[in-house]
Amino acid sequence: MVKLTINGRQIEAKEKTTVLEVTKELGINIPTLCHDDRLSKETSCRLCVVEVNGGEKLLTSCNLEVAEGMAIETHSDKVIEARKHNLSLLWGPHPNECVVCEKSGECKLEEYNYEYDIDVEPIFDAHKRNQPKNESNHFFEIDPRKCILCGKCIRMCDEQMQVGALGYVNRGNETFVTFANEDFDEANCVSCGNCVSVCPTGALMPKSKSKYRNWNTTRTKTTCPYCGVGCQMELVVTNGEVVRVEPVVDAVNNGLLCVKGKFAFNFINHPNRLKTPLIKRNGVFEEATWDEAYSLIKDKVDLIKKDYPNSFAGLSSARCTNEENYLFQKMMRAVFGTNNVDHCARLCHASTVAGLGSTLGSGAMTNSISEVLDHDVIFIAGSNTTSTHPVIGSFMKQAQARGAKVIVAEPREIELAENADVFIQIQPGSNVALFKGMMHYIYKNDLQDEEFIRLRTEGFEEFIKSIEDFTTEEAAQICGCKKEDIEKAAEIYAKGKRAGIYYSMGVTQHSQGTNGVKSVANLAMLCGHVGKESSGINPLRGQNNVQGACDLGALPNNFTGYQKVFDDLARAKFESAWGVKLDSQVGLTVPKIIDGMVNDEIKFLYIMGENPMISDPDINHVKHGLESVDFLVVQDIFLTETAEFADVVLPASSYAEKTGTFTNTERKIQLVNKVIEPTGNSKPDWIILKELMTELGYPQAYSSPSDIMDEIASLTPIYGGVNYDRVSKSGLQWPCFDESHPGTKYLHKDKFSRGKGLFTPVEYISPMEVADDEYPITLTTGRTLYHYHTATMTNKTEGINKIVPENFFEISKETAKKYNLINGAKTYVSSRRGTTIAVVKVVDTIKDDVIFMPFHFANGANVLTNTALDQFCDIPELKVCAVKFDDKL
């Protein structure tokens, strides 16, 4: 600590802190235009100058560190005059258009001009910039005339995003900011809009069809509805319409957003939103009242229950809140009397829950997102992180810029592979072989953590037998890579001090997905890289609340908090709380529910916020099931491809129209706040479920989602200390056992949830379907940056539809040439299950005889994918199947 004086007040401050940081803590407002706490110091605007020790020269407070005995004046006459002078210099070349500028009311230059009484007519005869707007980006525009050359946009793009799409052009008075080659299409811009968010003037502005004034808007903090990062943001609203999104800095995302979070909000107020219940009569949907819809559902439930009491099933939703998932599984169990409840986690991370649950005792991300920045080794397997979890991907690139080594194992050369220390381009479905080869090398070269193994694990001797003879040569042959790359990756990972493994559906969506996850756990425990800060196993959850939906019991084998339905004590607790007898038999998973509809075993299906006609494998099989089921209820915000098959459609509210919580991929429970009223006659999902349960003879008396969370906390130990007052501050990470518990930053600190970590022998087994003479191409699937899991929400944004408008597949130049496929043309792709049409996209980032197709579209990859299941958890093998090209149907 050092002692100093600021504006006559004696204070103490920490060494190495800047004067600007100290004055902020004291509530002293020093103007800045080029400063951002997250960025390097530019000192270009020179508005933050202060007087130090009465010296002649004024110093910029943003980069001036405090020192013993300093005497600082922040608003002396000399300082005020200097700031007025600098503001006048900035105002001189600026267009005098405040009255019509969309930034007016939030422009920092306008604000400071007013505060410091700057003349409207410039006092300096400055050169006016006259460069035209750059409108080449689909989401925002650049107006060089309004640019003050503060450089925040460039530093944001370079330092936080690690993209480098923006830069200065020309010199002197002609300097301005633009894209590389002055064109968005030639830059590597990812349209995240973070440059727009930090721009202090109207130089960078979102393209908007809504005309509004900033002083007529309200801002409400909430949680992003897209991927599992759980970015915090503010929805900007005017006249009941969401018109803009701004990031929150003091949050998990550190003020960053991706293109979806920043710009893909049009679905909220989209005209195609469902606004009233629909009942299908004679094959045609007709509008109905809520009472009519509820009454019809009740009649069908009563009728089917009478003759087929075990024929009910429900699909809950990773898009809905924790409270809604809790109520849904409560309804299925307490009202319908079945454990046949599941959701899309079955299709993405069921193998994580099974694999990490059995080896560590908890199937969740062990570290926090902020810990990414402190890794010295980052091992990415089966995750195109910069596309699927863009903010975490940016953190990974920042960590690499700080010196972290990066290992990437992927079938495609993803963005993170471009500068990786080791990139292993594996054959789809060969993850287990890769991990076993790495562990063989580590063990044979004595790189394992003997003390960690001895003190914190069990089963090591039996496990070693499974890798002793599995050489890197054998692994390389299976993976289709060089053994030297496997060995280098093994050495880097084993020698790291703070090593983190990050994986996603490239590891989990296999018939051997659980074994893939167990192999990840084996590898981490072998090197002692788990149960430590910035060192662990981190499955990246794909959707906004897929973690929460699992936590809250939307699974056929679990009540909330992973309490087993077949555990007598757990079941007795829920029976007492809910006042009904509960089934002790594990219910059906998503694939078995689909099969059950086809086989006439499931006669009533209730779907809330899921779209299996896009997300599930073998869409033709799904279609057959939905056509076969006796009665189908779909509750959603749009008339989705799945809702088209429904007998009753219930219009739900979007996340912007209700209150609740999401739990992100790092186990953090965060608030979702209502910002506008529900569209039309739609209702929040929790209200629909409450009303329907009451209609079905099981009255519910919740007055708010907060009441539901209180009930969750009373029944769920890992959520025991969660309530809305605590969550509203900055969220809470489970486990959080009581109201005095601070939450848990990282898991397994002193011991694993199961006691000792369990090493598990795992054998490599090839995918259930491999390329052959009839179907010679291997298909792998995944997500793109611009679309959500299904494109139902993102395809309502014009800019996104311009970039990724339809189904496509990536293919190597050699393979395209071999099959006479032309870049940009369309062709048919067939598997043993179906045929789709897609645009050919020739790339140099994928292996020969392998193609990549996204699963966002109704006619996308899941028309082709395989329904082969993992024996432990029923996750389908969505990541590998065999296909061929056809000239015509």
Side-chain angles (χ1 to χ4, degrees):
M1 304 294 288
V2 297
K3 294 180 179 179
L4 68 157
T5 303
I6 297 181
N7 296 343
R9 176 182 172 185
Q10 289 188 341
I11 64 162
E12 286 189 345
K14 290 181 181 179
E15 282 186 324
K16 303 296 182 182
T17 56
T18 66
V19 171
L20 183 61
E21 290 169 335
V22 173
T23 55
K24 276 185 180 179
E25 291 178 5
L26 295 174
I28 300 170
N29 183 27
I30 293 179
T32 64
L33 286 172
C34 67
H35 177 75
D36 188 302
D37 290 336
R38 300 165 294 171
L39 306 177
S40 59
K41 309 296 188 293
E42 181 89 351
T43 72
S44 61
C45 76
R46 301 196 64 78
L47 290 187
C48 69
V49 292
V50 293
E51 195 173 351
V52 182
N53 298 333
E56 184 68 27
K57 185 178 179 182
L58 300 180
L59 302 178
T60 49
S61 61
C62 64
N63 66 339
L64 175 65
E65 292 185 356
V66 296
E68 186 71 30
M70 264 186 176
I72 296 167
E73 291 293 331
T74 65
H75 287 76
S76 66
D77 290 344
K78 185 177 181 179
V79 168
I80 296 296
E81 282 305 309
R83 288 178 186 160
K84 293 179 76 166
H85 179 83
N86 292 334
L87 279 168
S88 297
L89 288 172
L90 291 170
W91 179 240
H94 201 84
N96 188 352
E97 298 175 358
C98 296
V99 69
V100 294
C101 182
E102 298 288 344
K103 189 78 170 186
S104 183
E106 292 189 352
C107 173
K108 300 302 288 186
L109 181 60
E110 178 188 47
E111 177 188 330
Y112 293 146
N113 281 351
Y114 177 79
E115 181 181 344
Y116 285 87
D117 296 319
I118 304 302
D119 290 335
V120 174
E121 292 300 325
I123 62 174
F124 296 106
D125 185 19
H127 173 79
K128 297 280 187 180
R129 282 187 288 272
N130 59 3
Q131 291 91 353
K133 284 184 181 180
N134 187 323
E135 299 180 295
S136 60
N137 186 281
H138 298 300
F139 305 94
F140 62 88
E141 59 189 24
I142 306 174
D143 188 347
R145 299 175 311 123
K146 297 177 182 178
C147 179
I148 58 172
L149 303 179
C150 67
K152 285 171 76 173
C153 57
I154 296 172
R155 283 175 287 143
M156 170 59 70
C157 194
D158 288 352
E159 298 169 17
Q160 291 290 301
M161 295 303 297
Q162 296 285 314
V163 170
L166 294 170
Y168 291 116
V169 175
N170 297 338
R171 299 174 68 87
N173 290 334
E174 299 298 326
T175 304
F176 65 98
V177 173
T178 189
F179 297 112
N181 296 323
E182 299 187 39
D183 191 276
F184 161 69
D185 290 330
E186 295 187 34
N188 57 340
C189 176
V190 293
S191 299
C192 63
N194 292 307
C195 56
V196 180
S197 297
V198 297
C199 181
T201 69
L204 282 157
M205 290 293 288
K207 292 180 176 179
S208 175
K209 293 182 178 180
S210 300
K211 196 173 180 67
Y212 61 93
R213 283 309 209 176
N214 287 304
W215 49 82
N216 291 328
T217 63
T218 59
R219 289 184 175 214
T220 306
K221 181 181 173 182
T222 192
T223 303
C224 182
Y226 286 112
C227 80
V229 177
C231 293
Q232 296 297 283
M233 58 194 195
E234 291 180 328
L235 296 186
V236 183
V237 174
T238 186
N239 296 323
E241 179 187 3
V242 177
V243 293
R244 197 171 80 243
V245 174
E246 296 295 343
V248 173
V249 174
D250 187 18
V252 61
N253 47 312
N254 195 31
L256 302 183
L257 292 174
C258 76
V259 61
K260 297 184 290 293
K262 178 71 174 176
F263 297 113
F265 57 84
N266 292 350
F267 73 91
I268 298 169
N269 296 104
H270 197 274
N272 290 349
R273 282 282 304 278
L274 288 169
K275 299 177 180 67
T276 191
L278 302 174
I279 293 175
K280 189 176 285 180
R281 297 185 175 101
N282 300 317
V284 178
F285 282 121
E286 296 178 3
E287 291 188 358
T289 66
W290 281 101
D291 286 344
E292 287 173 326
Y294 290 155
S295 179
L296 178 57
I297 293 170
K298 181 182 186 304
D299 289 345
K300 291 294 182 180
V301 170
D302 291 344
L303 184 65
I304 294 172
K305 238 182 188 182
K306 182 179 177 182
D307 296 321
Y308 306 99
N310 299 316
S311 64
F312 293 89
L315 300 182
S316 198
S317 178
R319 295 184 181 93
C320 293
T321 65
N322 286 321
E323 295 76 10
E324 290 161 347
N325 277 282
Y326 173 78
L327 280 192
F328 189 89
Q329 61 89 34
K330 181 179 181 180
M331 178 181 73
M332 295 308 300
R333 291 184 161 114
V335 181
F336 291 96
T338 183
N339 286 320
N340 296 337
V341 56
D342 207 356
H343 73 291
C344 68
R346 183 65 47 197
L347 311 174
C348 56
H349 275 284
S351 44
T352 288
V353 175
L356 294 186
S358 64
T359 56
L360 308 182
S362 175
M365 189 169 167
T366 69
N367 295 116
S368 295
I369 292 170
S370 62
E371 294 171 53
V372 173
L373 294 167
D374 295 318
H375 288 308
D376 63 356
V377 176
I378 299 174
F379 181 12
I380 303 149
S383 168
N384 184 7
T385 318
T386 54
S387 287
T388 59
H389 301 80
V391 169
I392 293 178
S394 296
F395 290 171
M396 288 175 172
K397 291 193 287 184
Q398 289 178 44
Q400 187 175 28
R402 295 180 179 188
K405 293 185 181 297
V406 173
I407 305 162
V408 175
E410 264 283 317
R412 296 186 296 155
E413 187 179 348
I414 60 174
E415 181 186 351
L416 288 166
E418 294 172 5
N419 298 307
D421 294 87
V422 184
F423 170 47
I424 306 173
Q425 192 161 20
I426 62 172
Q427 189 69 15
S430 61
N431 300 297
V432 171
L434 171 66
F435 299 142
K436 289 189 69 173
M438 290 177 67
M439 290 186 284
H440 170 89
Y441 181 86
I442 290 166
Y443 180 68
K444 289 297 184 182
N445 288 275
D446 292 323
L447 299 175
Q448 69 271 21
D449 188 331
E450 293 282 4
E451 183 179 11
F452 185 92
I453 293 166
R454 177 172 53 83
L455 295 176
R456 297 204 51 185
T457 70
E458 60 187 2
F460 182 69
E461 290 75 15
E462 196 64 28
F463 154 74
I464 284 300
K465 295 175 186 176
S466 70
I467 64 165
E468 250 183 327
D469 299 325
F470 197 90
T471 64
T472 53
E473 288 85 356
E474 184 178 355
Q477 185 176 6
I478 293 169
C479 295
C481 65
K482 298 176 182 177
K483 78 178 185 70
E484 290 79 10
D485 288 338
I486 296 176
E487 292 168 356
K488 183 179 179 182
E491 192 143 338
I492 289 173
Y493 179 74
K495 290 182 177 179
K497 302 297 183 186
R498 300 178 308 282
I501 300 177
Y502 291 83
Y503 73 87
S504 194
M505 295 186 292
V507 168
T508 61
Q509 286 184 328
H510 296 276
S511 57
Q512 298 300 310
T514 301
N515 283 337
V517 174
K518 288 178 178 178
S519 297
V520 170
N522 287 340
L523 176 60
M525 290 189 292
L526 183 66
C527 300
H529 291 330
V530 64
K532 303 172 184 176
E533 190 163 3
S534 289
S535 191
I537 303 167
N538 299 293
L540 298 175
R541 295 302 189 108
Q543 297 191 39
N544 54 300
N545 199 35
V546 70
Q547 182 66 59
C550 291
D551 296 346
L552 274 301
L555 296 169
N557 59 331
N558 292 336
F559 295 120
T560 63
Y562 308 96
Q563 300 168 90
K564 303 304 177 186
V565 298
F566 49 80
D567 182 294
D568 292 342
L569 290 176
R571 194 171 62 259
K573 177 172 71 171
F574 283 89
E575 287 176 342
S576 175
W578 294 349
V580 295
K581 190 74 175 172
L582 298 172
D583 188 3
S584 63
Q585 299 299 309
V586 172
L588 299 178
T589 58
V590 171
K592 299 294 176 61
I593 289 171
I594 302 295
D595 291 344
M597 291 191 295
V598 172
N599 300 331
D600 202 30
E601 295 170 3
I602 297 298
K603 296 183 178 294
F604 183 106
L605 179 64
Y606 195 129
I607 300 177
M608 178 180 73
E610 295 274 282
N611 193 0
M613 278 297 294
I614 291 182
S615 60
D616 288 35
D618 190 359
I619 293 301
N620 288 321
H621 181 59
V622 176
K623 182 181 178 183
H624 186 190
L626 295 176
E627 289 173 335
S628 302
V629 71
D630 285 10
F631 198 78
L632 175 63
V633 179
V634 174
Q635 185 172 308
D636 216 314
I637 63 174
F638 290 102
L639 191 64
T640 64
E641 292 79 2
T642 299
E644 293 281 2
F645 292 89
D647 296 285
V648 176
V649 178
L650 303 177
S653 301
S654 74
Y655 81 108
E657 299 156 351
K658 61 188 177 186
T659 298
T661 58
F662 294 153
T663 303
N664 74 350
T665 191
E666 63 171 359
R667 299 166 282 103
K668 181 174 279 189
I669 303 138
Q670 302 182 112
L671 269 184
V672 179
N673 285 306
K674 178 181 176 181
V675 300
I676 58 175
E677 292 301 316
T679 188
N681 199 22
S682 67
K683 297 182 179 184
D685 293 274
W686 72 271
I687 289 181
I688 298 172
L689 296 172
K690 183 186 83 162
E691 292 177 348
L692 184 56
M693 281 194 273
T694 300
E695 177 77 16
L696 294 171
Y698 188 70
Q700 300 296 292
Y702 309 109
S703 61
S704 71
S706 178
D707 293 344
I708 304 171
M709 179 55 76
D710 290 343
E711 182 173 314
I712 291 167
S714 71
L715 292 168
T716 314
I718 60 173
Y719 277 58
V722 177
N723 59 53
Y724 273 34
D725 286 341
R726 298 190 72 198
V727 169
S728 65
K729 296 178 176 64
S730 59
L732 282 170
Q733 287 175 276
W734 68 256
C736 179
F737 297 113
D738 54 56
E739 292 190 9
S740 65
H741 195 287
T744 306
K745 184 178 182 182
Y746 62 94
L747 298 180
H748 316 305
K749 180 180 180 182
D750 298 313
K751 68 174 184 177
F752 291 105
S753 299
R754 70 178 302 276
K756 287 194 170 185
L758 178 65
F759 278 102
T760 310
V762 171
E763 298 304 320
Y764 167 73
I765 300 172
S766 65
M768 292 295 101
E769 185 176 88
V770 295
D772 56 21
D773 291 341
E774 185 179 2
Y775 293 89
I777 302 297
T778 299
L779 167 70
T780 190
T781 68
R783 282 156 61 173
T784 67
L785 169 65
Y786 292 95
H787 279 297
Y788 187 44
H789 190 77
T790 62
T792 307
M793 299 193 305
T794 46
N795 67 11
K796 307 302 185 291
T797 299
E798 184 179 336
I800 283 177
N801 288 333
K802 287 180 178 178
I803 297 172
V804 188
E806 58 186 333
N807 192 31
F808 69 90
F809 65 88
E810 294 178 355
I811 188 171
S812 73
K813 294 176 184 177
E814 285 301 313
T815 308
K817 182 179 178 181
K818 179 179 176 181
Y819 291 96
N820 298 315
L821 301 178
I822 300 170
N823 187 50
K826 290 184 178 181
T827 193
Y828 291 103
V829 185
S830 298
S831 74
R832 291 176 172 88
R833 290 153 295 281
T835 299
T836 189
I837 190 169
V839 175
V840 178
K841 187 175 181 181
V842 178
V843 298
D844 57 6
T845 55
I846 198 165
K847 285 188 169 192
D848 292 340
D849 298 321
V850 176
I851 66 170
F852 166 85
M853 186 182 292
F855 50 65
H856 305 300
F857 304 101
N859 64 334
N862 284 332
V863 173
L864 310 171
T865 47
N866 195 358
T867 55
L869 302 180
D870 181 296
Q871 63 175 317
F872 298 104
C873 66
D874 282 358
I875 193 169
E877 191 149 59
L878 289 150
K879 274 292 173 283
V880 188
C881 73
V883 299
K884 64 180 179 180
F885 303 117
D886 290 313
D887 295 330
K888 57 185 178 181
L889 284 174

